[in-house]
Amino acid sequence: MMAAQLRGGDGETGGIGQALKEGLSYNTEALKNNTVIPEGQTPKEKVVLVNKAGESRSPYVSAHAENPVAWQLWGDDAIALARKENRLLFISIGYSACHWCHVMERESFENDEVAAILNDEFIPIKIDREERPDIDRIYLNFVQATTGSGGWPLNVFLTPQLQPVFGGTYWPGPTNSGTSVEDRVDFLGVLNKLSTAWKEQEERCRLDSGQILQQLMDFAQEGTLGDRLGEGGDAMDIELLEEANQHFKSTYDATNGGFGSTPKFPTPSKLSFLLRLGQYPQVVVDLVGQHDCRNAENMAVSTLRKMARGGIHDHIGHGFSRYSVTADWSLPHFEKMLYDNAQLLDIYLDGFLLSRDPELLGVVYDICTYLTTTLAHPEGGFYSSEDADSFYKKGDSEKREGAFYIWTKREFENVLGAQAEPILSTFFNVSGHGNVSAENDAHDEFIDQNVLAIASTPSTLASTYGMKEDEVVKIIKDGKAALLAHRDKDRVRPALDDKLIVGWNGIALGALARTAAVIKGFDPDKSETYLAAALKAATIIKKNLYDESEKILYRIWREGRGDTPGFADDYAFLIEGLIDLYEATFDEAWLHWADDLQQSQISLFYDTTGSGAFFSTPFHSPHTILRLKDGMDASEPSTNGTSSSNLYRLSSLLNDDTYAKKAKETIHSFESEIMQYPWLFASFMPGVVAGHLGVKGVVVAGEGIASERITAFERAPRGGLGSFARVHASGSEWLRERNGLLGEFGKDGEARVLVCEGGVCREERVVKIERPSKEEVKALGKGADEGVAMSVGFDNKKGEGGVGKLEAPVEEMKELGVEDGQIHR
């Protein structure tokens, strides 16, 4: 309804978009020579704009420093100039790795004719969406509402009061050589019509933009108009998980994995939901159904395998591209983003823990390698992205999409040799004519080129070529190494966006910390590498992007700290990462910092007067015409969904009921939307379950049982929200003071386990397990032997229990990670 109204679908005053469709005059010469001065008026001195893009620290913005377009920087000066000159602002929002952003730059922003109109008639501003996601979200909402779609580059015309007038994404420029899109006006046409409209119908433009803004403001509050501050809210039951699961089941692509058709995105939030579903408390599993929970896990694991084998995965180097333009994951848009790979690391780790599939563990290592090498800042932290476009070979003058990653059959022959080439060509589906269909090659960039995707198996290849399977595996391994060496030597690597973004680093450091904890038992060296990377990331953020005195974050580090304060998502994702880091190290300094950040996030962003939940921007944020609340999951999980989980986890770790109350309020703030479309709010579901069933916290002290419980916790895939803490006989002062329930617990140095739920804690009895003697085994009965039973002695120091025996298969106990030692019961 709202989108149709904003698009100006009917009525005479259908909006400026309708006016453009009706064909306002298109007269380039008149615009260039618009110097007629009404009689009696003094000629106005012409303002000559100078390109200021080079002053920005953003790699994306500064890359436009040589454009003839006189780009201005978002802020007081540019907005004041627009108001003084009474010009429309033209804001173009993109990011470094964006392919179509580069296309529009080549076609339009490097064009003198386009530049002349933008510089004379508008105030052109270039914005990095990764630096200013707040500005991006506001105007992306507008474009989505008025056009039905959105994306980047995001191009919007604003009044001097920052109200949106007209917007869109990519528009073909004067040098466009491809097939024009039906019903899409070219960029010159848009510029001329907007310039004329502002001169001839300024009042109408202002009126329409004001009405649109009001509708956007009203729409932004929909879904947060339920019970104020979460009062009531009992309507949101755990049955929502079943409804969300049924939706994912109905949209699942059983052939290729993933959801929907094209383009195909990894959608980590959906996959996380599916993997966690069967790990929730039994009441949830019973409600959804054991079969449906297993099916959900299978959908997710199958999707992970399909993605891992597809072209979206860099099989020669490491990491995943942003998304696939084909349903079978074979042809990606080649940009690689930190936030995608960091989220996928968590998902593949859970997929491995559930399936025990070594293929998925291999992908876990692959992503970790990408994060800790290609995207690793030498001093700590992780860079933002790598571009989709690059030069195909040294000396080229024009970049091409995917040039770094694609291969010809001839290259395979030259690099691999006669024996290995046929095997790797079959394995990766390499053809002499290329494997990209013409319909997916609008700019003829992939003629005779191949995107590598796994199309066979070593066992099949062994049968085909009459070889042993281990020989085939070695040929593939050596061939990949040769291709990588050739690529690194002869190709030009895509440009790296080398800024550090707090929120994305939070996701990455948390995922690396979890991975390190899982693998330390069987791969201590890699575990140490990954944990060290997580610790370095947390350290550099605290050192360079955290104001200790004010307890606030700054969002960006590149050649120094940026001026942009952190947004709500920066706090949410970093808090989550720090909790994961604490639970991997039990260094309470990280938990202490997470607690401080949580209090700052509440004071800066929490809606205390409305319906609860977190705004994306602080209340004093300049030049933001809307304060939005991030609810639905997108390429990143919802800020509010993540925050609700953080609040429940911290509430459990710190015994802080105020956090649990905020978590409940945050979830119920989106009640009406979640109840209508639960599948769009997958990141909220752990909080929904916690709100009904509570959060279980475990605290351990001492050795023996503590180590075993920690190992079991670390190797468990994520399910319902819970917490895990460790206290020591000496130390842990801050945690004991912050959580009054811990008091004297564990100070005696004894092995203890404390389970806390709902503000009440109970200490579990510790049970010792020892291998029985031959005489004890014989006493169990005829036919028993030493390998089938263990004796169990109950620790009765407190006068509880007695001594008994438990018959249990030794191998079964070993599978649980228990041999001679201790276990709780």
Side-chain angles (χ1 to χ4, degrees):
M1 171 73 83
M2 186 198 73
Q5 292 171 342
L6 292 180
R7 289 175 203 154
D10 47 46
E12 292 185 4
T13 59
I16 187 64
Q18 186 67 24
L20 293 180
K21 291 180 181 178
E22 291 168 358
L24 294 172
S25 60
Y26 180 174
N27 189 331
T28 304
E29 291 304 314
L31 287 168
K32 286 182 178 179
N33 302 296
N34 186 20
T35 56
V36 178
I37 307 299
E39 187 176 350
Q41 288 190 16
T42 303
K44 186 177 180 181
E45 183 178 350
K46 184 177 181 180
V47 173
V48 178
L49 300 179
V50 177
N51 191 328
K52 296 183 178 181
E55 299 174 14
S56 172
R57 287 180 179 168
S58 161
Y60 172 69
V61 175
S62 61
H64 294 75
E66 301 301 320
N67 291 170
V69 175
W71 295 112
Q72 306 297 291
L73 303 182
W74 178 265
D76 294 342
D77 292 346
I79 294 169
L81 183 59
R83 291 171 182 172
K84 178 183 175 184
E85 297 297 311
N86 194 34
R87 294 190 195 180
L88 288 175
L89 295 105
F90 169 71
I91 61 170
S92 181
I93 305 175
Y95 57 102
S96 182
C98 169
H99 169 67
W100 286 103
C101 299
H102 299 317
V103 172
M104 192 162 182
E105 180 186 12
R106 290 195 297 268
E107 292 181 358
S108 293
F109 302 144
E110 294 177 354
N111 180 270
D112 290 332
E113 188 176 8
V114 168
I117 299 174
L118 278 172
N119 297 344
D120 290 346
E121 303 296 325
F122 303 91
I123 303 297
I125 298 177
K126 179 59 71 173
I127 299 175
D128 185 337
R129 81 174 181 98
E130 295 170 359
E131 279 194 342
R132 294 305 303 261
D134 55 333
I135 304 303
D136 177 62
R137 286 189 187 110
I138 291 169
Y139 297 111
L140 179 61
N141 275 1
F142 163 74
V143 170
Q144 288 175 325
T146 54
T147 69
S149 62
W152 298 274
L154 184 70
N155 299 298
V156 187
F157 297 86
L158 313 178
T159 70
Q161 285 67 44
L162 309 182
Q163 296 175 338
V165 174
F166 184 71
T169 53
Y170 163 77
W171 286 304
T175 61
N176 175 266
S177 57
T179 305
S180 61
V181 181
E182 184 181 357
D183 294 332
R184 174 176 278 170
V185 296
D186 64 276
F187 188 46
L188 270 176
V190 171
L191 291 177
N192 282 284
K193 291 175 182 180
L194 260 297
S195 177
T196 302
W198 185 247
K199 287 184 176 70
E200 297 179 359
Q201 301 185 41
E202 177 183 333
E203 193 65 30
R204 177 180 177 181
C205 288
R206 288 185 179 277
L207 177 63
D208 288 344
S209 64
Q211 292 174 342
I212 290 171
L213 178 59
Q214 185 58 53
Q215 288 178 311
L216 286 172
M217 294 173 69
D218 294 341
F219 184 67
Q221 293 186 51
E222 286 188 22
T224 59
L225 295 178
D227 300 296
R228 293 179 66 82
L229 294 179
E231 295 173 4
D234 292 332
M236 279 202 299
D237 206 327
I238 54 177
E239 290 179 355
L240 289 170
L241 280 77
E242 181 185 20
E243 187 177 346
N245 183 51
Q246 290 302 318
H247 177 83
F248 292 142
K249 184 178 178 181
S250 69
T251 58
Y252 177 67
D253 181 347
T255 301
N256 301 301
F259 305 91
S261 54
T262 57
K264 190 74 76 68
F265 288 83
T267 60
S269 293
K270 293 180 182 179
L271 296 176
S272 178
F273 170 86
L274 294 171
L275 290 171
R276 295 178 85 145
L277 195 58
Q279 308 306 306
Y280 282 114
Q282 192 62 42
V283 64
V284 177
V285 176
D286 290 342
L287 187 148
V288 176
Q290 291 276 2
H291 174 76
D292 280 349
C293 287
R294 285 195 299 271
N295 184 62
E297 179 185 323
N298 291 336
M299 285 192 293
V301 169
S302 178
T303 297
L304 293 175
R305 292 192 183 110
K306 295 284 187 180
M307 288 195 303
R309 298 168 188 173
I312 194 174
H313 187 193
D314 181 0
H315 296 280
I316 302 304
H318 308 282
F320 283 78
S321 296
R322 178 75 191 88
Y323 65 94
S324 175
V325 300
T326 57
D328 62 357
W329 308 102
S330 62
L331 178 61
H333 266 314
F334 290 86
E335 63 263 33
K336 289 179 178 176
M337 311 298 296
L338 170 59
Y339 61 79
D340 283 320
N341 283 278
Q343 289 180 86
L344 286 173
L345 175 54
D346 259 328
I347 304 306
Y348 273 98
L349 184 63
D350 282 328
F352 162 69
L353 289 172
L354 285 167
S355 68
R356 301 292 169 170
D357 183 346
E359 180 182 5
L360 300 190
L361 180 60
V363 180
V364 168
Y365 278 99
D366 176 272
I367 299 174
C368 286
T369 300
Y370 182 63
L371 295 179
T372 57
T373 56
T374 304
L375 292 188
H377 188 293
E379 296 176 23
F382 310 99
Y383 299 131
S384 299
S385 63
E386 288 190 288
D387 278 12
D389 299 3
S390 59
F391 298 113
Y392 185 67
K393 59 181 181 297
K394 297 173 183 177
D396 282 357
S397 59
E398 186 172 328
K399 292 182 178 181
R400 296 160 52 187
E401 184 184 8
F404 186 70
Y405 301 101
I406 54 181
W407 300 84
T408 63
K409 176 86 165 176
R410 177 65 59 87
E411 284 177 305
F412 257 46
E413 292 169 349
N414 292 338
V415 173
L416 298 172
Q419 181 185 12
E421 180 274 321
I423 293 174
L424 273 89
S425 289
T426 305
F427 185 66
F428 284 126
N429 189 34
V430 172
S431 161
H433 299 292
N435 61 14
V436 179
S437 63
E439 66 188 38
N440 292 318
D441 189 15
H443 298 281
D444 296 331
E445 294 176 306
F446 302 123
I447 295 175
D448 295 336
Q449 301 285 346
N450 294 271
V451 178
L452 304 189
I454 295 176
S456 187
T457 64
S459 60
T460 301
L461 292 171
S463 176
T464 301
Y465 291 96
M467 304 173 68
K468 293 181 179 179
E469 187 172 338
D470 58 351
E471 292 177 328
V472 171
V473 170
K474 185 177 187 306
I475 288 173
I476 292 173
K477 183 178 179 180
D478 292 346
K480 287 172 65 176
L483 292 168
L484 178 61
H486 174 82
R487 192 174 82 173
D488 288 344
K489 179 182 177 183
D490 289 6
R491 301 274 179 89
V492 181
R493 193 163 193 100
L496 181 73
D497 188 330
D498 59 352
K499 64 179 182 289
L500 306 186
I501 298 176
V502 167
W504 299 0
N505 272 260
I507 300 172
L509 72 88
L512 284 166
R514 284 191 67 222
T515 303
V518 167
I519 69 173
K520 68 182 179 184
F522 57 84
D523 195 345
D525 291 341
K526 285 294 185 183
S527 174
E528 185 177 340
T529 297
Y530 302 156
L531 182 58
L535 291 167
K536 283 179 69 177
T539 300
I540 195 173
I541 292 171
K542 191 167 189 181
K543 177 183 176 182
N544 295 323
L545 289 166
Y546 181 61
D547 185 326
E548 187 83 42
S549 61
E550 299 292 330
K551 298 189 185 302
I552 60 171
L553 291 170
Y554 286 82
R555 180 170 173 83
I556 300 291
W557 173 269
R558 183 178 185 267
E559 299 173 356
R561 189 181 79 185
D563 296 328
T564 305
F567 298 103
D569 60 314
D570 292 305
Y571 286 82
F573 299 147
L574 180 56
I575 291 167
E576 181 180 48
L578 291 174
I579 298 173
D580 288 336
L581 185 57
Y582 167 73
E583 292 182 336
T585 63
F586 300 111
D587 180 347
E588 70 176 36
W590 303 121
L591 183 60
H592 189 171
W593 190 24
D595 184 31
D596 287 344
L597 289 172
Q598 187 60 76
Q599 293 178 46
S600 294
Q601 189 197 29
I602 291 170
S603 66
L604 290 168
F605 302 98
Y606 197 78
D607 181 3
T608 58
T609 61
S611 59
F614 295 89
F615 288 108
S616 296
T617 53
F619 69 90
H620 52 72
S621 183
H623 310 311
T624 50
I625 59 174
L626 284 173
R627 291 189 75 198
L628 301 174
K629 294 178 182 177
D630 176 19
M632 291 186 294
D633 299 313
S635 56
E636 302 163 46
S638 160
T639 299
N640 278 286
T642 303
S643 295
S644 65
S645 292
N646 291 343
L647 287 161
Y648 272 127
R649 292 173 74 187
L650 287 172
S651 173
S652 177
L653 283 162
L654 306 176
N655 187 37
D656 190 329
D657 289 341
T658 63
Y659 281 166
K661 184 174 184 291
K662 286 287 190 297
K664 186 173 183 180
E665 291 173 1
T666 297
I667 294 169
H668 289 305
S669 179
F670 296 89
E671 179 176 319
S672 62
E673 289 178 305
I674 293 174
M675 290 184 66
Q676 282 185 287
Y677 311 104
W679 53 89
L680 298 178
F681 298 84
S683 63
F684 280 83
M685 295 306 153
V688 170
V689 174
H692 281 272
L693 303 180
V695 178
K696 181 179 179 180
V698 176
V699 186
V700 297
E703 302 300 330
I705 181 63
S707 298
E708 291 165 11
R709 288 298 296 267
I710 290 169
T711 299
F713 166 75
E714 290 170 340
R715 295 181 180 178
R718 290 175 301 181
L721 294 178
S723 68
F724 202 101
R726 183 173 194 172
V727 294
H728 301 278
S730 60
S732 305
E733 287 86 359
W734 176 82
L735 183 55
R736 291 182 190 280
E737 182 179 348
R738 186 69 174 84
N739 184 346
L741 292 176
L742 298 182
E744 299 297 312
F745 176 76
K747 284 189 174 182
D748 57 5
E750 292 291 323
R752 299 192 181 283
V753 177
L754 194 68
V755 178
C756 301
E757 294 178 274
V760 178
C761 295
R762 58 181 176 84
E763 187 170 349
E764 293 187 342
R765 290 184 298 170
V766 174
V767 179
K768 294 181 179 178
I769 296 181
E770 299 172 351
R771 190 174 301 279
S773 65
K774 291 182 179 180
E775 289 73 19
E776 289 175 318
V777 171
K778 290 178 181 178
L780 289 173
K782 187 176 180 179
D785 61 51
E786 193 173 358
V788 299
M790 288 184 175
S791 68
V792 179
F794 289 83
D795 184 349
N796 63 349
K797 286 184 179 180
K798 296 183 179 181
E800 298 175 357
V803 177
K805 296 192 185 303
L806 171 70
E807 186 174 344
V810 170
E811 292 305 317
E812 199 172 290
M813 300 300 286
K814 285 182 178 179
E815 287 176 10
L816 295 174
V818 180
E819 295 188 357
D820 291 349
Q822 296 176 315
I823 189 172
H824 81 281
R825 178 165 297 280

